[in-house]
Amino acid sequence: MEILKTLRGAADAYNRVSLILRIFCGIILGVLLSFLFPGLGGIAMLGDLFVGALKAIAPLLVFLLVISALSQGGGKLDSRFGMVIFYYLLTTFLAAFLAVLASFAFPVDLVLTAEATGEAAPPSGIAEVLGNLLLNMIANPLASIIDGKYLGILFWAVVFGIALKSVASGTTKTMFSDLADSVSQSVRWIINLAPFGIMGLVYASVSSYGVEIFTIYGKLVALLVSCMLIAALVINPIVVAISLRRNPYPLVFRCIRESGLTAFFTRSSAANIPVNMALCEKLGLDKDMYSVSIPLGATINMDGAAITISIMTLAAVHTMGIAVDLPTALFLSVLSTLAACGASGVAGGSLLLIPMACSLFGISNDIAMQVVGVGFIIGVVQDSLETALNSSGDVIFAATAEYYEWKKQGKPLPDFMTRK
């Protein structure tokens, strides 16, 4: 009994500390342990277990939440939903265009070799990307849940949710609501252990790459990081400020802190969906809306991916000495936007879409795949920031669309948005 009482007291003390502070402590411990005790697989496994648990439960959570929201909702996917999609696509295009301008202002040379960089086959064009998206939408729903294919999960959840709204009894709808709530509670328990998982992830990254990742291809990393920070701290806030006529930074910083931080370390927008769901609830958003818009954002709100595709492609173009005019650069921005929206439907994510963009400039697939290899080298930084930008933006614009409707109806915004 004394042991149980001690464990319960330790758990209570742990839970009383803010999650952000616990995560920060996990980061520090991960760095220290990587230098003091390198090569301990058990510590690194904590990160694998954490990400694996989130990735395992997230597809089921999204499936049940969307079904429950649509089956019990009152037709609430109104103009707010259209606004969310508009924000997602607009900011993805602006991020791509920012990356193009930055690449012109600060051109980067790559060190390309003749070595092959992987066995995965990139898509041959935007038609193939869009085709993959459509095929993923109609994939077997059980296979989509098992494989974590969120387009298929979202599509079939919408179909089942609308069907249940039309034909199911109140008891059946309540059952799906209870199932969604029980899975949500399971996710909260997993997220509560995030400090241990993040400690393992940081330990594994620092043990594998050390600080060398910041010196190899340093200029390329700096360009990617700068563009992603500008997108997160300038472009997104401007869009929010224009829409709400309010200081956008309370919302932006809160989403970066509570969503972007965990996404940075998990490096998976899909795994971060439960975190975003919980944050939307804290922000007072309509569950009928965010249970659909957040999974959709994880699929099409890809600012970071658009930046990666544009910068890596233009780095290859500059290295090859190819001249690029303004119309072609604008077309690349549009192409990167469409390709980024399809990144989640292609194995390998945004990096494997680089060869498609390179083909616009006549760059061979062999050269383009070497650029992909460079992307994998810097992926520990690039992919982390990309995911943090993408995932935090999902909540920012879901909240912006919701709060815009509140203003139209004369409903006051949350206190944190109105403080001077």
Side-chain angles (χ1 to χ4, degrees):
M1 291 297 293
E2 286 298 323
I3 295 177
L4 290 176
K5 186 181 293 186
T6 301
L7 291 175
R8 190 177 296 114
D12 290 341
Y14 173 83
N15 290 324
R16 281 195 296 270
V17 179
S18 115
L19 180 61
I20 300 300
L21 180 57
R22 282 182 272 153
I23 287 175
F24 180 75
C25 292
I27 294 170
I28 298 300
L29 280 174
V31 173
L32 292 176
L33 290 173
S34 68
F35 286 110
L36 296 174
F37 306 104
L40 290 180
I43 299 176
M45 185 174 288
L46 291 174
D48 295 336
L49 291 173
F50 173 65
V51 174
L54 278 180
K55 286 184 176 179
I57 199 69
L60 182 60
L61 175 69
V62 171
F63 190 68
L64 292 173
L65 280 175
V66 173
I67 289 178
S68 176
L70 292 179
S71 65
Q72 300 184 62
K76 295 183 180 179
L77 292 182
D78 48 28
S79 60
R80 295 171 296 175
F81 192 64
M83 287 184 67
V84 170
I85 295 176
F86 172 74
Y87 287 140
Y88 287 166
L89 296 178
L90 172 65
T91 54
T92 300
F93 171 76
L94 292 176
F97 189 60
L98 165 68
V100 169
L101 294 179
S103 295
F104 277 119
F106 305 99
V108 174
D109 283 314
L110 301 178
V111 179
L112 302 178
T113 69
E115 186 178 348
T117 56
E119 298 178 357
S124 58
I126 195 65
E128 184 177 342
V129 173
L130 296 177
N132 286 338
L133 291 178
L134 292 174
L135 290 174
N136 283 335
M137 281 178 61
I138 61 170
N140 182 293
L142 293 179
S144 296
I145 294 173
I146 293 171
D147 297 335
K149 294 181 178 179
Y150 282 86
L151 277 174
I153 293 168
L154 188 60
F155 175 78
W156 288 114
V158 169
V159 171
F160 293 154
I162 294 173
L164 281 171
K165 182 179 176 63
S166 302
V167 304
S169 66
T171 303
T172 303
K173 295 176 183 178
T174 301
M175 179 192 72
F176 273 96
S177 177
D178 291 341
L179 284 172
D181 289 342
S182 64
V183 176
S184 296
Q185 182 59 50
S186 301
V187 170
R188 292 188 190 99
W189 289 337
I190 296 170
I191 292 172
N192 199 41
L193 297 174
F196 298 101
I198 289 173
M199 178 184 71
L201 291 169
V202 171
Y203 174 88
S205 294
V206 177
S207 295
S208 299
Y209 298 100
V211 295
E212 292 180 3
I213 194 63
F214 297 102
T215 57
I216 301 173
Y217 297 110
K219 189 175 179 181
L220 180 61
V221 172
L223 187 60
L224 284 164
V225 169
S226 299
C227 287
M228 291 184 191
L229 289 177
I230 291 171
L233 301 177
V234 179
I235 293 178
N236 288 354
I238 287 175
V239 173
V240 175
I242 292 173
S243 300
L244 300 181
R245 309 286 182 181
R246 291 285 190 279
N247 176 8
Y249 287 102
L251 175 62
V252 170
F253 287 148
R254 183 166 183 180
C255 292
I256 291 175
R257 183 177 70 247
E258 298 190 31
S259 170
L261 183 62
T262 54
F264 181 89
F265 290 102
T266 61
R267 296 168 65 183
S268 169
S269 294
N272 213 50
I273 287 175
V275 177
N276 284 350
M277 295 284 197
L279 177 55
C280 286
E281 184 177 358
K282 292 180 186 177
L283 296 175
L285 306 188
D286 182 355
K287 188 175 181 180
D288 288 346
M289 277 297 301
Y290 72 71
S291 60
V292 178
S293 61
I294 292 300
L296 180 66
T299 302
I300 68 170
N301 183 39
M302 292 288 175
D303 302 15
I307 289 172
T308 297
I309 294 168
S310 298
I311 287 179
M312 298 296 287
T313 298
L314 288 177
V317 167
H318 184 261
T319 302
M320 301 292 292
I322 300 172
V324 181
D325 55 21
L326 183 59
T328 306
L330 286 172
F331 185 73
L332 174 62
S333 300
V334 175
L335 182 65
S336 295
T337 300
L338 296 174
C341 292
S344 63
V346 179
S350 59
L351 292 178
L352 281 182
L353 290 164
I354 292 170
M356 182 194 67
C358 285
S359 67
L360 177 65
F361 302 95
I363 296 175
S364 70
N365 191 58
D366 289 341
I367 296 296
M369 284 305 291
Q370 292 178 46
V371 180
V372 174
V374 173
F376 280 116
I377 292 173
I378 63 172
V380 66
V381 176
Q382 167 266 326
D383 196 32
S384 294
L385 274 174
E386 179 181 310
T387 309
L389 173 60
N390 294 343
S391 195
S392 60
D394 296 347
V395 184
I396 288 171
F397 296 114
T400 300
E402 178 93 15
Y403 294 159
Y404 179 82
E405 287 297 315
W406 288 14
K407 284 192 63 183
K408 284 175 58 177
Q409 298 168 10
K411 183 178 178 181
L413 297 181
D415 290 341
F416 77 92
M417 286 292 295
T418 56
R419 296 192 193 105
K420 299 295 184 183

